[in-house]
Amino acid sequence: MTEKTVLNDTHRALGARMVDFGGWDMPISYGSQIEEHHAVRRDAGMFDVSHMTVVDLHGARVRPFLRHLAANNVDKLKVQGKALYTCMLNERGGVIDDLIVYFLGDEFFRLVVNAATRAKDLAWIAQQAKAFGVEVKERPDFAMIAVQGPNARAKVIGLLHEVDRARIEKLGRFAAAAAQGPHGAPLFIARTGYTGEDGFEIIVPQEQAVTLWNELAGAGVAPCGLGARDTLRLEAGMNLYGQDMDEDVSPWEAGLAWTIALDEGRDFIGREALQAQKAAGVTRTMVGLVLDEKGVLRHGQKVLTDGGEGEILSGSFAPTLNKAVAFARIPAGACGQVRVDIRGREVPVRVVKFPFVRDGKPCEGI
């Protein structure tokens, strides 16, 4: 049975093209995926991300629990409302999921985890939480709308109660705070996102989600589907779980070394495996590829290097760049002239550092 968000009827009324995404009936686009992509890069667009799972953790030992659960160190979160991006690993150092942790109180943290991994994430978190006496509470009563783009924050702030506007205007990146939205809706506003643009991810009670979506549309925020979300996050160098990483890929191999905190005295799940892999030398690495000639880079295509074969993970036409880009996992070491097998033809590509786009503009050398 396909699940639906509270905004499903709203998407259909707007003429959205709907697809199955991890068991959810979600909008891929409302017309032109390219136009939606450009709306986010140039102005402001919004995405229904209510399929994401919000999990609240309560307990006296919730911080020690998260020190054990997450590869990044939650002790970095010292100020209430601050957020941290991290991976949750298995004992082999493979990625169970990537998620955001919010520090909301000494005995209260909030997680936002991926939709497709919801069941296994909840089971894993609950299993690990038992030893720490932490209460794990899923919040299906919430919907979530991401508003992204250079004008996104201003458009959201304009809809808030006037007493909250200055405070939310000052909200730092990767931080969250409560505010009152249209018609008194209690909002949890986080300055986070998955597009490479500034903006907010807003958690709202389900019964007020449609009103908030309509108010945002009235403020000139363009509805955008998962198609544009995918090209935006790829340009911004952001991983997609299940495509760029999974339980058989470590953060070292997924370009996520920056999310690993090997701080002294913290025994997190997967640490031993990560240290062993680092000591032995990581054999696979994730790189960015740019195709300068016409053609499309797609998931699963074979990548040929001097050090052996690799494969395309995420690949797509990048509207901001007007060319195809991709993430690929290839053997570590010198790669020489790299080619991609496109329908039996070896096409040369350039290996580059990602992100491909930052602040709406191509990065140097792309």
Side-chain angles (χ1 to χ4, degrees), residues 45-361:
M46 60 181 167
F47 305 85
D48 176 13
V49 288
S50 306
H51 59 316
M52 304 280 279
T53 305
V54 179
V55 183
D56 286 349
L57 305 175
H58 296 273
R61 298 184 64 208
V62 67
R63 191 183 281 270
F65 164 60
L66 287 168
R67 278 168 52 87
H68 175 66
L69 185 78
N72 211 340
N73 192 353
V74 294
D75 284 349
K76 294 173 183 175
L77 302 178
K78 299 183 191 314
V79 178
Q80 199 168 348
K82 279 297 284 179
L84 182 75
Y85 174 75
T86 184
C87 292
M88 185 166 67
L89 308 179
N90 57 29
E91 296 289 0
R92 295 177 288 114
V95 181
I96 292 172
D97 199 9
D98 62 324
L99 56 136
I100 295 180
V101 183
Y102 295 95
F103 168 43
L104 301 181
D106 290 337
E107 298 189 6
F108 177 24
F109 283 74
R110 172 168 285 171
L111 311 180
V112 177
V113 303
N114 285 308
T117 52
R118 173 189 164 273
K120 74 164 184 175
D121 284 6
L122 287 168
W124 179 258
I125 293 164
Q127 179 192 336
Q128 305 302 327
K130 281 177 192 167
F132 294 85
V134 168
E135 179 200 4
V136 179
K137 187 180 179 188
E138 188 184 2
R139 298 299 304 270
D141 49 316
F142 285 141
M144 196 162 154
I145 299 170
V147 190
Q148 302 278 289
N151 299 324
R153 285 171 63 235
K155 291 187 179 191
V156 170
I157 289 163
L159 297 177
L160 301 180
H161 193 291
E162 55 193 29
V163 300
D164 292 323
R165 288 176 191 169
R167 184 170 51 86
I168 300 300
E169 175 74 54
K170 289 181 193 146
L171 193 66
R173 287 182 189 264
F174 251 71
Q180 204 171 317
H183 311 288
L187 307 179
F188 178 84
I189 300 179
R191 196 172 167 195
T192 53
Y194 191 53
T195 62
E197 295 297 328
D198 205 351
F200 295 126
E201 291 181 307
I202 306 168
I203 295 174
V204 55
Q206 279 215 15
E207 60 273 15
Q208 283 151 312
V210 172
T211 300
L212 177 60
W213 180 275
N214 291 336
E215 293 273 356
L216 287 163
V221 181
C224 300
L226 294 178
R229 187 169 152 87
D230 194 51
T231 52
L232 288 159
R233 68 91 194 166
L234 176 59
E235 288 185 348
M238 295 175 174
N239 284 23
L240 173 63
Y241 189 84
Q243 197 152 290
D244 304 315
M245 56 187 170
D246 55 37
E247 293 194 32
D248 296 315
V249 175
S250 77
W252 301 132
E253 301 168 313
L256 293 172
W258 62 277
T259 70
I260 301 169
L262 292 172
D263 39 309
E264 218 173 302
R266 187 173 68 93
D267 181 26
F268 62 85
I269 301 164
R271 177 175 184 143
E272 209 173 291
L274 288 187
Q275 286 177 313
Q277 194 178 44
K278 189 180 183 185
V282 180
T283 59
R284 303 183 297 174
T285 185
M286 190 160 128
V287 297
L289 300 179
V290 175
L291 176 62
D292 289 313
E293 61 179 82
K294 278 200 167 150
V296 183
L297 300 176
R298 295 193 193 283
H299 174 70
Q301 287 171 334
K302 194 187 294 179
V303 181
L304 305 157
T305 81
D306 288 356
E309 289 183 3
E311 77 165 338
I312 300 261
L313 306 168
S314 291
S316 178
F317 174 74
T320 310
L321 306 169
N322 203 32
K323 58 178 76 170
V325 299
F327 296 146
R329 191 162 291 116
I330 62 172
C335 54
Q337 174 61 53
V338 176
R339 291 96 58 217
V340 174
D341 184 335
I342 301 179
R343 296 196 194 93
R345 190 166 68 95
E346 291 186 15
V347 179
V349 289
R350 281 188 294 123
V351 175
V352 298
K353 281 185 179 172
F354 50 85
F356 305 98
V357 173
R358 185 178 275 126
D359 297 325
K361 293 183 177 59

